[in-house]
Amino acid sequence: MEMHAELDEIEYHLLVAEFDLLWSRTPRSGDRERMDQMMRLIEAFEANRRMASSA
């Protein structure tokens, strides 16, 4: 999956599923960096969702 700043709902769910997969397995080279990137995107998506729902 391409990493970009704006995720749609489907990309968000795919990213969360991939993160869960990486979290549950024995770490491989590069997993930590990938998971850090994924967390930034997940947190940004969730923050945008909270802002939209409170408007």
Side-chain angles (χ1 to χ4, degrees):
M1 175 185 303
E2 180 181 326
M3 302 293 280
H4 51 85
E6 294 292 324
L7 296 177
D8 65 26
E9 190 79 18
I10 293 170
E11 290 171 319
Y12 165 78
H13 289 287
L14 290 171
L15 198 61
V16 169
E18 182 183 352
F19 184 90
D20 289 344
L21 173 70
L22 293 176
W23 182 265
S24 66
R25 74 177 188 196
T26 302
R28 298 180 186 169
S29 176
D31 281 355
R32 175 65 183 219
E33 183 178 333
R34 171 83 173 138
M35 291 174 76
D36 287 345
Q37 293 172 337
M38 295 167 85
M39 278 305 304
R40 286 191 292 276
L41 290 171
I42 291 167
E43 289 170 349
F45 180 88
E46 292 173 350
N48 286 337
R49 180 188 285 170
R50 282 191 300 274
M51 287 190 322
S53 68
S54 67

